[in-house]
Amino acid sequence: MSTPESNPVRFNAETVLREIYCRRNARYVIWSPRTTLRRLGIDRVEFNPQNTRRMRKILQQLCDDGHLIQRSELHNDESGMNEIAYSRIPNHQLRD
């Protein structure tokens, strides 16, 4: 039997950026590691801390590259974890 720790889900900066700027996600404003994993459908698999750590790094890199803006407040979702939150660049066109 494999443990969740041994089976991280595959995703990369390109798939994350595409999901954040997808028109169907236009109503979502806050993008934290957990909320982004949820929008990618990755939270439906068993929780894996590797996925959260990897998503944290990807979101920070997208922010450093100018694709996202870091929000001044932390995001607290139902997990009770305070995470750094990001937003889309204002007036950036959404894609299909």
Side-chain angles (χ1 to χ4, degrees):
M1 184 171 164
S2 64
T3 63
E5 188 74 29
S6 65
N7 294 317
V9 176
R10 304 267 184 222
F11 56 89
N12 59 37
E14 184 179 319
T15 58
V16 170
L17 189 61
R18 186 176 22 223
E19 190 69 20
I20 290 172
Y21 281 96
C22 182
R23 192 174 310 283
R24 75 173 177 273
N25 292 322
R27 71 184 188 106
Y28 294 92
V29 176
I30 298 172
W31 295 89
S32 69
R34 297 284 301 208
T35 57
T36 308
L37 288 169
R38 204 169 15 260
R39 291 305 309 151
L40 286 168
I42 295 172
D43 68 321
R44 292 187 181 108
V45 297
E46 197 168 342
F47 175 74
N48 185 322
Q50 286 180 350
N51 291 333
T52 306
R53 285 191 295 271
R54 188 157 168 236
M55 183 60 74
R56 189 178 304 126
K57 289 178 185 176
I58 287 174
L59 290 173
Q60 182 60 55
Q61 185 61 48
L62 290 172
C63 182
D64 292 346
D65 292 345
H67 298 289
L68 299 173
I69 297 172
Q70 185 172 330
R71 297 172 66 90
S72 58
E73 70 278 2
L74 296 177
H75 178 62
N76 183 2
D77 63 3
E78 65 273 359
S79 69
M81 297 173 61
N82 283 321
E83 298 180 304
I84 294 175
Y86 301 90
S87 295
R88 291 181 201 92
I89 300 295
N91 302 321
H92 193 280
Q93 189 170 10
L94 298 178
R95 300 173 244 185
D96 291 326

